[in-house]
Amino acid sequence: TVLSLAPGASYTVEDVTYQVTLADMDSNGTLEPDNVAPGLLDNTAVADSDETGPVDDSEDVPVDQNPSLTIDKVVKDVGGDGADGIIDEAGDIITYDIEVTNTGNITLHNVTITDPLTGGLLHTVLSLAPGASYTVEDVTYTDTQDDLDSNGTLEPDNVAPGLLDNTAVADS
């Protein structure tokens, strides 16, 4: 509170800060009370006195939403021989872990994790905050005689003979 302000004088409140929240980022700047437009975080200051009506001034700061998602699929075991095992007979069970990580700056919703070789849709993560990860553990595929006979070239995303290629996909 400024007790008195002479004609022509001014008073400056310096270094006023506002810490941007995840809610501000997720909403694209539309949650503030005096919202002007999506993509802008608007803030209005008001000055008033006993002798005047209120006056205000606003500033808009752009919001830069950057959604980003990574996926990491890791072989845990092949036929009971550990992560470095090889497929050497029909019926070998390959076990995978699949981790998705939100590498962006806003919350991701309905993140789907799919794997065509192991059965399609594996899981839907309803909400994944920035920096958070979710892991689908112990996803399995049992190799077949056809996999061996074709030298690993029959799978949907074949990369090279001699390898049973399997690509998982994440999307939000």
Side-chain angles (χ1 to χ4, degrees):
T1 301
V2 179
L3 298 179
S4 175
L5 192 62
S10 63
Y11 182 85
T12 301
V13 179
E14 295 180 351
D15 299 325
V16 177
T17 63
Y18 173 77
Q19 184 163 352
V20 176
T21 67
L22 181 55
D24 293 328
M25 294 303 298
D26 286 350
S27 73
N28 202 18
T30 61
L31 292 181
E32 72 274 359
D34 51 355
N35 178 49
V36 173
L40 296 173
L41 188 62
D42 180 66
N43 186 306
T44 301
V46 178
D48 196 2
S49 74
D50 293 341
E51 293 78 25
T52 67
V55 294
D56 61 58
D57 188 30
S58 294
E59 285 295 324
D60 300 325
V61 178
V63 175
D64 183 19
Q65 289 184 320
N66 183 24
S68 182
L69 182 65
T70 62
I71 186 168
D72 185 28
K73 183 175 183 176
V74 177
V75 174
K76 287 178 54 178
D77 184 66
V78 180
D81 296 327
D84 294 328
I86 60 170
I87 299 170
D88 54 8
E89 64 182 334
D92 277 345
I93 298 172
I94 307 166
T95 304
Y96 304 94
D97 280 353
I98 304 169
E99 179 182 68
V100 294
T101 302
N102 181 348
T103 55
N105 65 355
I106 62 171
T107 302
L108 301 176
H109 298 92
N110 298 314
V111 177
T112 57
I113 304 167
T114 58
D115 188 332
L117 194 62
T118 63
L121 178 65
L122 299 173
H123 193 77
T124 299
V125 182
L126 297 180
S127 179
L128 194 63
S133 296
Y134 182 87
T135 302
V136 179
E137 296 179 337
D138 300 327
V139 177
T140 61
Y141 174 74
T142 304
D143 78 326
T144 66
Q145 189 63 49
D146 287 344
D147 293 327
L148 289 169
D149 291 348
S150 71
N151 200 21
T153 60
L154 294 180
E155 73 277 356
D157 50 358
N158 180 51
V159 175
L163 298 173
L164 187 62
D165 309 309
N166 183 7
T167 302
V169 177
D171 192 18
S172 70

